[in-house]
Amino acid sequence: MQLTQDQIDAYKRDGFLVFPELFTPAEVAVLREETERLRHIEADGIFREGEDGKAKTMFRMHEPDGPTYSPAYRGLSRTPRALGVAQQVLGDERLYMHHCKVNMKPSIEGTVWHWHQDFGSWHLDGIAEPTMATMMVMLDDATEIGGCLYMLPGSHADGRFDPYYDESTVYKFWATPAAMVKARMEGAPDPVAITGKAGTVAIFDCNTLHASGHNLSARDRWQIYLCYNLCANRPGDVENPRPDYVRSRNWAPMALEEDDAILATRPLAAE
Ligand code: SIN
Ligand code: MN
C-alpha cells in the first residue's frame, strides 16, 4: 500500500493519518477471536481491572516466544497495511516493534486516558529520538460516547513535554501536565475525534498529544496499538528497565509479509 505525497504531507503537518476500514470485517473477526481467547489466560502482560476479572489490557501478542502470542496479531503487525505504512511515514524500512497492546475499554466502567504523548514514557525507556509511530486498529466501531481516541492536530511539532506519573486511573501512566496541554491547545485546531467502523486505522507520531474519554456506551471499545521504532533508535540502557512486553528487546528488523497475513492464519475462514 503506497501512501500519496498528500498523505505524507498531512502526516507531517497534523501528526496523524486516518484510514477508514483499512482492515476487513473478516480480518477484524479473526483478531477479535484471538483477543477473546487470550484474555482468559494468566500471564505477565495481561492486566485485569474491575470486578469481572476480565483482561482490560494485554501486551506482546506479536512475538512467538511468549504466552500471549497470537499468529494473527503477528500477521497484522507485518502486513503492508501496517508495517508498510509505518515504514513510509517514518521514512525507514528497518523497523522493530517497541510494543503491541490491546485496550478493551469496557462499557460504562471504562475510563479516561488523559492527554499524553507516547514518547513521554518511551524516552524514559531509554529511546533517544522521536522516530516512532503508533498504529491504532479499531476492533469495534469507535464512537465519541464509547470513549474513542482524540488527536490534537499539529501537537507533535513542539516536541516532547516532560510527563508526570498520573495515578488517578487504575492503569497508572505517564501523562502530559494539564498546563502544557492547554498551552498547546491555544490557537491550535480543535482536537479530532477518531471515530469509524471496526477495521479503521489511525497512525500517529509519538509526540502527537492524544487522549480518550469515558465509555458511556453500552458496548466495549477494543483497540489495538502497534508501536514501531527505527532499529537504529533502539533504547539505550536504563536503570530498572520496564519488562520486555512493554519495552521490547527484540530489535531485529521486521520483514513485510503478504497482505493476507491475518486470514492466512485461518485457512478455513479465508475460503
Ligand atoms: C493509549 O494512548 O495508549 C491508549 C488510549 C486508549 O486506548 O484510549
Ligand atoms: Mn498513547
Side-chain angles (χ1 to χ4, degrees), residues 101 103 105 113 116 118 149 210 212 221 225:
K101 75 175 177 190
N103 277 353
K105 191 189 281 198
W113 283 79
H116 68 282
D118 288 342
L149 220 53
H210 58 286
S212 69
R221 189 226 64 177
Y225 297 84

Side-chain angles (χ1 to χ4, degrees), residues 7-207:
Q7 286 174 313
I8 299 278
D9 292 347
Y11 181 82
K12 292 207 164 112
R13 181 189 66 230
D14 299 334
F16 67 95
L17 275 180
V18 179
F19 303 94
E21 294 169 71
L22 190 62
F23 291 95
T24 64
E27 291 173 317
V28 169
V30 170
L31 291 164
R32 285 188 63 89
E33 232 179 85
E34 284 292 90
T35 308
E36 192 58 54
R37 172 178 71 79
L38 288 170
R39 75 190 302 205
H40 297 287
I41 69 172
E42 291 286 342
D44 280 354
I46 297 189
F47 296 90
R48 300 186 152 73
E49 291 154 15
E51 280 160 21
D52 64 3
K54 286 188 180 172
K56 301 299 184 310
T57 301
M58 303 191 297
F59 286 88
R60 208 168 182 273
M61 289 72 70
H62 65 301
E63 293 281 27
D65 63 347
T68 50
Y69 176 52
S70 158
Y73 270 82
R74 180 180 185 280
L76 164 70
S77 69
R78 292 165 178 255
T79 56
R81 281 169 289 166
L83 178 58
V85 167
Q87 288 173 332
Q88 291 172 70
V89 300
L90 292 172
D92 198 314
E93 287 188 359
R94 292 170 58 84
L95 303 184
Y96 76 94
M97 190 158 291
H98 185 53
H99 65 243
C100 158
K101 75 175 177 190
V102 58
N103 277 353
M104 291 161 277
K105 191 189 281 198
S107 157
I108 309 298
E109 282 150 30
T111 59
V112 60
W113 283 79
H114 290 299
W115 286 104
H116 68 282
Q117 299 168 305
D118 288 342
F119 197 57
S121 54
W122 297 346
H123 187 57
L124 302 176
D125 282 332
I127 298 176
E129 299 298 329
T131 55
M132 304 179 73
T134 300
M135 178 170 277
M136 180 273 282
V137 183
M138 295 176 190
L139 293 186
D140 286 298
D141 296 354
T143 60
E144 294 206 53
I145 193 173
C148 73
L149 220 53
Y150 291 85
M151 302 276 165
L152 187 63
S155 53
H156 61 309
D158 282 353
R160 176 180 179 272
F161 304 109
D162 273 335
Y164 73 100
Y165 197 60
D166 188 285
E167 302 197 70
S168 66
T169 50
V170 262
Y171 46 79
K172 307 167 181 32
F173 83 124
W174 293 93
T176 307
M180 306 226 185
V181 177
K182 287 186 211 170
R184 194 66 195 85
M185 281 178 167
E186 281 289 303
D190 284 342
V192 174
I194 311 297
T195 57
K197 294 258 182 227
T200 295
V201 161
I203 187 162
F204 51 101
D205 184 277
C206 62
N207 274 325

